[in-house]
Amino acid sequence: MAIPGLTQMLALFGLTAAIAIGLLFLTAGVAQWRHRALLPGVIANYRLLPASLVGPAATALPLVEVATGAALLIGLHPLAVVVAMALLLVFAGAMAVNIRRGRGHIDCGCGHGALRHPIGWSLVARNIALAALLGLRLAFAPSFTAMDMATALAGGIAIALLCLLFQSLSALTASPLHRR
């Protein structure tokens, strides 16, 4: 038996997550495109793709992230949600493999081309948590009031900004200038 209001609340969390992740994918894709000369090196550092696929992956990734982010924001659902969840889980898997290999020093490639942000279990957990929250968007899709939409938009923007803030702070604390 469903608890009254619980379905609506979970659906609202899913919509909020979709907005936050849409914004994160947009900002990451744009940043990666702006620093596209660095992206092949970042992807190659993961040592998961053959050298012949690094260039095409570096060209496609920013475009896929921008398209996925935009699709999440305009509500193209459920395909955009599935693609976003898959991307987040692939990124988490790639990081986990490299951490297990003892390669936690490599740059995550999360979008800050000018700032190196080393991978870590916290990024793996973040991506898995974001994918799980996004799963709520698939599970619950009721209609939303204007107030629900405004709440989800405000929450999504706040979550995206907090993720970007923590990512930037982490990258700054890992920088050689900080260690002086």
Side-chain angles (χ1 to χ4, degrees), residues 47 50 87 131 145 162 164:
R47 297 182 185 168
L87 283 171
T145 66
L162 283 171
L164 293 171

Side-chain angles (χ1 to χ4, degrees), residues 54-104:
V54 169
T59 300
L61 184 60
L63 300 174
V64 169
E65 287 186 340
V66 167
T68 302
L72 286 171
L73 290 173
I74 63 173
L76 293 181
H77 155 96
L79 181 59
V81 173
V82 172
V83 170
M85 289 174 70
L87 283 171
L88 288 165
L89 294 175
V90 165
F91 297 157
M95 286 185 254
V97 165
N98 276 279
I99 293 166
R100 298 278 301 170
R101 290 177 177 169
R103 305 188 73 248

Side-chain angles (χ1 to χ4, degrees), residues 8-26 68-75 77 80-82 84-85 88 126-140 144 148-161 163:
Q8 187 71 18
M9 184 179 67
L10 291 173
L12 192 57
F13 285 155
L15 179 59
T16 302
I19 291 168
I21 294 163
L23 291 170
L24 290 172
F25 274 139
L26 275 176
T68 302
L72 286 171
L73 290 173
I74 63 173
H77 155 96
V81 173
V82 172
M85 289 174 70
L88 288 165
R126 178 201 70 181
N127 283 359
I128 292 170
L130 290 174
L133 285 172
L134 199 49
L136 293 173
R137 187 74 176 115
L138 284 177
F140 305 100
F144 294 106
D148 290 339
M149 297 295 285
T151 301
L153 180 61
I157 291 170
I159 291 168
L161 289 174
C163 284

